[in-house]
Amino acid sequence: MEFRLLGPLQAVEGDAPVALGGPKQRALLARLLLDSNRTVSVGRLVDDLWGDGAPDSAAKMVQIYVSRLRKVLPDGVLQTQPPGYLVVVGPERLDLSRFRALRADGRAALEAGDPAGAARLLREALEIWRGPALAEFSEPFAGVEGAHLEELRLACLEERIDADLAGARPGDVVGELEALTAQHPLRERLHRQLMLGLYKSGRQAEALAAYDRFRRMLDDELGIEPSQALKRLQLGILNQDPSLESGPRPQPERPGSRSLPDVAVAAPGLFGRADELARLEDALESASQGDGRTTLVQGRAGIGKSRLVAELAHVARGGGATVLTGRCIQLVGVGLPYLPFAEALRPVSEAAAAARLAGELRELPRLVPELAGGGAPEGDGGDRSDSRLRLFQETALLLRRLADDEPVVLTLEDLHWADASTLDLFAFLVRELASAGVLLVGTYRGKALRPGDVLQRVASDLVSAQAATVLELEPLERDAVEALVRETSESAPDALVDAIFERSGGNPFFARQLLHASLRGEAALPPALRDMLLADIARLHAGARSVLRVAAAAGSGVSYEFLTALTPLDDLALAEALRQAVEHDVLVPDQANGTFRFRHELFAEAVYGTLLPGEREVLHERIARSLMEKPWLATSGADAAEAAQHWAAARRPVEALAASLRATKEAEEVSGLTEALGHVERVLELWDQVPDAERLTGLALPAVLERAADLATMSEGSRSVVDFRVLVGVLDVDEWVDAEAVAERLGVTAEESAERLEAFAKAGLVERKDRRYRAAPLAMGEARRLFPAAVVLESVAVRRSPPFDSSSLEALRQANARLRAARDDPAAALAADDDFHRHLTGRCGNEEILSALAPIKRALLRYERVFMSDASRVERSAAQHDAIIEALERGDHAEAAQLLRENLAHGLPDLSDVVEPVT
């Protein structure tokens, strides 16, 4: 009986197909055939067939499927072999075995200088394939193993193309290569072959253009350069190197071309990882004494795994250790078989220990030809069923011999992309080298693993057996992020450090990307950071991605009921979408509030950025309408405020204006002064955009402006005659006074003064000592209350002012000229800036507004002294003043008010690096 895996699963007796039963029974046979002639345990079969969702009866069901299969398979093919089962099949009876044998013969022919024979054999191997392997199965093992088999097919295809390129008619494969590079744009070997085929066909310019396309694609998509081997090929084409026509085909660059000490370099800028590095150094010390250790370093993408192990390599090399590093790469979902080991072991080919083993290694040179002692590895022509075990044993032997001379550090990076064979060899070495002077280090993204993943099982088994320890990298603390920022920008203000720390969540890669974007003056997410975030989201199915788009547009935590109203998914589909988003660690459930939020706000930014023009507005409009129809969907409890925000984002000014007016009243009812001020600001911004705003709202603009002024002068949460904004204008940080003195200055009773002083002392705005008071040190809590009031009142004053005549504009210009000239004189700059704002607001003619503004501006002078201490901030403010003057010259008071708001808005971020926060 013949078995076929390379396409739909088949068992054929003669020419007749054999009925193999239902899907799960067929999957069991396929899984056993993948490890033909080797026992697969029942536990492994259960995991591979059901994963974490295995029923209690799974082991019994395996027995039933085996019994049914035995009825249709020849006697002795499906055998019981504790602790499981195996399929006994000769290599000629399994298409996968025939494929591997033909491929091996083809590679040998190519190495022997017979490209025509190699091409024939490799074509034969490829013709065995009837379609994608294991594509019919949805069981956990099928995805990983199917991708692994597809990688084998692609590698064989590339080898056949190599043979054709070395033959008489290399141009025949150019068309095929153009299609293949489009299908697999990241496979460098295909691009190399395309360049070589074009060049050998006399199309030098097209070959160089192919290189340039690939280089630009790598830079745009991944931010990396082509390999040195590909660069050398480009140079050879430019120079019309004769060896390209008749010499050996270009080979990928091998780390063995460099001396061993140069393989790894120190990682500069390692921040906040002293404890983790110390743990790795302790493990290295134990390995140096012959006590082999294994450490698994896990963490999210960008958290600093590679930097940490690079620093370990630097330390180890400084202590005389041999450092070997291999990296897994993401190709069709999995890495090439044993790729990281091949990369790691190539540099040791010149080591004395490797030379001593030259005659003992039979299988390892097939993986690392440099270890064959200068010639190609020779096959023994015998049964290769035990070759895998020999490969494992020879790898362990080589590392032991290297460790006899000096300690060895072997690091395998990105194990989440490793193939199953690599993981099996890694697990074998962990146990085999426990008594050798070897430190094994593996890095992987823990959150990228799902229950049932091969790596998850391997790591769990090793840790459970106490054969390995896990070192999980947590986000950096603020101090570490500050050090990271100041490494690039020593003068970076604390405000920038705080912003980067908050947005990055302590992720070093995120922090660096955000810092560089900030230094370039960019507010949007940097492309590399955006692409990394979206890569996690791309793994989700379409339903989950649609849920994320709604959540990103909502801008806050969303409830299940909210998503039910806003997405077209039924209950089961929505629940599955949310479960997938949570399992992939994109959304986090808040059990207390019954909502879901993004794990990181940068995820929300990235998803929101993918919304197309028009799609964004439609989504915001749907959210706003839902909130109007079902106010209880508002997670904040302020349905009008949320609706106003979404109407504005939907570019529906009429609805946004009406909702903002309702939101203002909503905020006042709960004494939310700051929120009410914000809503009034939006009302003022929208007023000019809405035709007949007075008729639609039933309000006149002067009434709205008066309301804004009233709000700005109201005390937070109280209409007491003692407003803290007035209070901070008569208190000084260096003067202790009693309640009576404050009452006298304010013109209120001592009781009212004492009551408010006590309240402000509890809020941290005023300090108290022995019944005496003084202004608290500069505090961001206070500044955040003062600045919104100043912004609203000044913008209202500008909008209410009559047209500025030439003398008024000249007074503004002179004040701004004095400000610009006083860049290095904070006191003079402060006076000039205050003069500018007095001329700007003094023409409004409304004494109530000006009276309310005066004490606030007095209090803000304490903060503006700090602002004026930086020449660059002074220059920026002067430039903004120029724009305000130009708008007033045109008679556009609305634009001038908007520019003024932008000018004042810079005050808080610029101050926060020197103003201590209220605790």
Side-chain angles (χ1 to χ4, degrees):
M1 180 175 287
E2 179 184 351
F3 296 96
R4 300 171 182 172
L5 272 174
L6 304 183
L9 176 66
Q10 289 182 350
V12 180
E13 187 70 60
D15 292 327
V18 176
L20 297 174
K24 191 68 75 173
Q25 188 169 307
R26 292 169 58 84
L28 172 63
L29 178 59
R31 177 62 191 85
L32 291 170
L33 286 169
L34 287 170
D35 280 308
S36 60
N37 304 304
R38 286 184 295 180
T39 302
V40 183
S41 70
V42 172
R44 182 69 179 269
L45 290 171
V46 168
D47 285 343
D48 286 347
L49 293 175
W50 286 278
D52 283 347
D56 294 338
S57 60
K60 182 64 176 177
M61 294 170 72
V62 168
Q63 292 179 347
I64 293 172
Y65 295 145
V66 167
S67 176
R68 292 175 179 172
L69 284 169
R70 282 175 172 159
K71 294 178 181 177
V72 297
L73 299 178
D75 291 342
V77 169
L78 180 49
Q79 299 181 8
T80 300
Q81 182 71 47
Y85 304 93
L86 79 159
V87 169
V88 178
V89 56
E92 73 284 356
R93 296 290 184 179
L94 178 62
D95 60 355
L96 178 57
S97 298
R98 295 202 313 277
F99 165 77
R100 285 174 168 156
L102 283 167
R103 182 190 174 202
D105 292 341
R107 294 169 72 181
L110 187 58
E111 291 170 356
D114 180 11
R120 178 181 55 78
L121 289 166
L122 293 169
R123 277 193 173 85
E124 251 189 73
L126 291 167
E127 286 169 1
I128 294 175
W129 287 74
R130 297 168 293 108
L134 307 179
E136 66 191 276
F137 302 114
S138 60
E139 282 73 14
F141 79 94
V144 173
E145 296 293 347
H148 176 60
L149 292 174
E150 175 63 9
E151 179 56 41
L152 291 179
R153 187 190 69 81
L154 285 172
C156 183
L157 177 60
E158 289 169 336
E159 289 157 357
R160 192 227 82 210
I161 292 172
D162 274 338
D164 286 337
L165 287 171
R169 302 177 63 184
D172 290 351
V173 297
V174 169
E176 180 183 11
L177 282 166
E178 287 175 337
L180 287 171
T181 53
Q183 294 170 17
H184 308 283
L186 295 178
R187 294 184 76 93
E188 183 172 293
R189 187 176 181 183
L190 289 173
H191 289 274
R192 175 181 63 77
Q193 292 172 327
L194 175 58
M195 290 169 61
L196 195 58
L198 287 167
Y199 178 76
K200 287 188 170 187
S201 303
R203 300 157 69 178
Q204 179 182 358
E206 292 177 67
L208 294 172
Y211 171 85
D212 193 55
R213 285 195 305 273
F214 182 59
R215 181 192 59 77
R216 288 200 310 271
M217 186 272 293
L218 285 182
D219 184 54
D220 292 342
E221 297 292 330
L222 302 174
I224 62 175
E225 289 286 319
S227 72
Q228 291 299 319
L230 201 66
K231 290 179 179 178
R232 286 198 299 271
L233 175 58
Q234 182 216 20
L235 184 61
I237 291 173
L238 282 169
N239 296 328
Q240 296 185 332
D241 187 345
S243 69
L244 296 181
E245 291 289 349
S246 56
R249 66 185 186 275
Q251 294 294 323
E253 184 187 39
R254 291 169 174 162
S257 62
R258 299 177 292 174
S259 61
L260 180 59
D262 293 331
V263 174
V265 297
L270 185 70
F271 302 106
R273 300 298 185 205
D275 291 343
E276 292 87 346
L277 182 58
R279 286 182 58 182
L280 288 174
E281 289 175 344
D282 288 344
L284 175 59
E285 177 63 25
S286 297
S288 300
Q289 298 172 9
D291 183 9
R293 294 299 177 91
T294 299
T295 301
L296 301 173
V297 181
Q298 68 157 304
R300 302 181 189 277
I303 204 67
K305 302 181 294 295
S306 294
R307 281 183 174 266
L308 178 63
V309 297
E311 188 63 22
L312 170 68
H314 180 59
V315 171
R317 186 171 296 103
T322 297
V323 177
L324 307 172
T325 302
R327 298 164 186 82
C328 306
I329 58 176
Q330 187 178 24
L331 292 173
V332 205
V334 295
L336 290 166
Y338 305 118
L339 175 65
F341 284 104
E343 179 186 0
L345 296 177
R346 283 190 186 114
V348 307
S349 59
E350 298 178 5
R356 293 196 299 268
L357 287 172
E360 300 181 45
L361 302 180
R362 296 164 55 198
E363 291 298 327
L364 190 54
R366 295 179 179 276
L367 181 63
V368 186
E370 291 84 351
L371 296 174
E378 297 182 1
D380 56 15
D383 183 7
R384 298 186 52 80
S385 61
D386 63 341
S387 61
R388 190 167 186 255
L389 177 59
R390 289 204 306 269
L391 172 66
F392 285 19
Q393 292 171 336
E394 289 177 10
T395 304
L397 175 62
L398 175 60
L399 292 171
R400 279 184 176 277
R401 294 292 175 83
L402 289 171
D404 289 342
D405 297 333
E406 57 189 18
V408 174
V409 177
L410 172 59
T411 298
L412 303 184
E413 293 203 52
D414 295 323
L415 286 175
H416 48 277
W417 287 330
D419 60 285
S421 296
T422 292
L423 295 176
D424 285 344
L425 177 51
F426 182 77
F428 177 86
L429 294 177
V430 170
R431 294 176 168 86
E432 191 71 12
L433 299 175
S435 60
V438 180
L439 170 60
L440 295 174
V441 180
T443 74
Y444 62 97
R445 300 176 189 174
K447 294 297 182 180
L449 303 183
R450 303 270 68 83
D453 282 356
V454 178
L455 176 55
Q456 192 271 339
R457 296 200 303 270
V458 169
S460 177
D461 290 346
L462 293 176
V463 173
S464 298
Q466 298 183 337
T469 60
V470 174
L471 179 59
E472 183 166 3
L473 299 190
E474 300 291 345
L476 298 180
E477 300 290 343
R478 186 194 179 283
D479 289 348
V481 172
E482 180 176 4
L484 181 153
V485 170
R486 298 202 190 284
E487 179 194 39
T488 300
S489 177
E490 292 183 4
S491 60
D494 282 355
L496 179 60
V497 175
D498 288 338
I500 289 175
F501 175 62
E502 291 297 328
R503 291 189 74 198
S504 70
N507 184 297
F509 177 79
F510 293 1
R512 285 190 176 89
Q513 292 292 317
L514 292 171
L515 171 62
H516 294 152
S518 176
L519 295 176
R520 294 192 300 265
E522 299 172 2
L525 282 180
L529 176 52
R530 179 199 61 215
D531 293 346
M532 176 181 284
L533 295 166
L534 292 178
D536 284 346
I537 291 164
R539 296 182 293 141
L540 307 179
H541 62 56
R545 294 197 299 271
S546 69
V547 168
L548 294 181
R549 288 193 288 272
V550 172
S556 60
V558 291
S559 65
Y560 183 86
E561 189 176 13
F562 180 95
L563 293 171
T564 300
L566 269 298
T567 63
L569 304 177
D570 59 35
D571 286 347
L572 289 178
L574 176 58
E576 178 56 32
L578 286 170
R579 180 174 297 282
Q580 191 181 63
V582 169
E583 288 179 349
H584 283 77
D585 209 29
V586 177
L587 290 183
V588 177
D590 184 340
Q591 299 290 356
N593 296 321
T595 58
F596 297 85
R597 59 175 175 80
F598 282 96
R599 171 176 63 79
H600 199 296
E601 283 305 311
L602 292 180
F603 272 117
E605 284 188 52
V607 173
Y608 190 75
T610 65
L611 296 176
L612 300 173
E615 179 188 16
R616 183 175 299 184
E617 287 77 10
V618 168
L619 187 51
H620 281 294
E621 181 179 343
R622 288 176 53 208
I623 294 174
R625 291 193 185 282
S626 294
L627 290 170
M628 292 181 65
E629 295 168 2
K630 301 176 181 179
W632 59 87
L633 293 179
T635 55
S636 65
D639 57 285
E642 289 191 30
Q645 170 189 341
H646 291 293
W647 282 125
R651 303 182 187 277
R652 301 292 293 268
V654 173
E655 292 87 348
L657 177 62
S660 295
L661 285 169
R662 286 197 301 114
T664 303
K665 183 178 180 182
E666 214 176 54
E668 286 184 69
E669 290 174 351
V670 295
S671 301
L673 174 64
T674 302
E675 291 76 11
L677 284 171
H679 297 313
V680 169
E681 277 198 82
R682 183 183 288 123
V683 169
L684 294 175
E685 291 172 5
L686 292 168
W687 196 270
D688 293 335
Q689 302 176 36
V690 177
D692 298 326
E694 292 189 357
R695 182 181 60 81
L696 290 172
T697 62
L699 295 171
L701 179 58
V704 177
L705 295 172
E706 290 292 347
R707 189 64 191 134
D710 290 343
L711 282 170
T713 56
M714 288 167 57
S715 172
E716 185 178 25
S718 171
R719 290 184 178 270
S720 167
V721 293
V722 184
D723 190 328
F724 77 86
R725 297 180 181 83
V726 179
L727 181 66
V728 295
V730 299
L731 287 179
D732 192 84
V733 71
D734 297 322
E735 179 188 16
W736 291 94
V737 295
D738 56 22
E740 288 75 13
V742 174
E744 183 178 349
R745 294 179 187 181
L746 293 173
V748 299
T749 67
E751 289 78 10
E752 290 172 326
S753 171
E755 177 186 348
R756 300 314 300 162
L757 283 167
E758 283 297 311
F760 298 144
K762 291 179 180 178
L765 302 170
V766 171
E767 289 187 342
R768 178 182 59 191
K769 180 181 179 182
D770 298 330
R771 300 174 61 85
R772 296 171 70 81
Y773 305 85
R774 72 174 182 183
L778 299 181
M780 286 308 298
E782 179 189 61
R784 289 189 183 99
R785 292 177 173 87
L786 292 171
F787 268 90
V791 168
V792 172
L793 283 173
E794 289 206 26
S795 60
V796 167
V798 170
R799 290 178 66 101
R800 297 201 62 175
S801 296
F804 280 64
D805 56 27
S806 58
S807 62
S808 300
L809 292 170
E810 182 59 27
L812 290 172
R813 291 192 188 96
Q814 290 180 5
N816 204 36
R818 293 197 304 275
L819 173 63
R820 187 172 269 115
R823 287 181 299 176
D824 299 319
D825 185 348
L830 176 62
D833 184 70
D834 189 53
D835 196 20
F836 179 89
H837 284 276
R838 284 193 301 103
H839 285 299
L840 187 64
T841 59
R843 291 176 54 79
C844 74
N846 188 307
E847 290 301 323
E848 292 181 352
I849 294 177
L850 297 178
S851 297
L853 186 58
I856 297 173
K857 292 295 291 182
R858 280 201 307 274
L860 283 174
L861 290 177
R862 300 161 58 218
Y863 296 92
E864 289 171 2
R865 290 191 195 109
V866 176
F867 182 93
M868 297 300 173
S869 64
D870 185 285
S872 64
R873 290 197 292 257
V874 174
E875 177 57 37
R876 187 184 66 203
S877 188
Q880 292 167 333
H881 290 176
D882 288 337
I884 293 171
I885 294 171
E886 291 175 7
L888 293 174
E889 280 186 297
R890 298 192 301 271
D892 193 339
H893 287 213
E895 182 184 351
Q898 177 61 33
L899 291 168
L900 176 64
R901 283 195 289 272
E902 294 173 2
N903 173 242
L904 294 174
H906 284 290
L908 286 175
D910 284 331
L911 287 170
S912 62
D913 61 321
V914 291
V915 177
E916 68 174 25
V918 173
T919 58

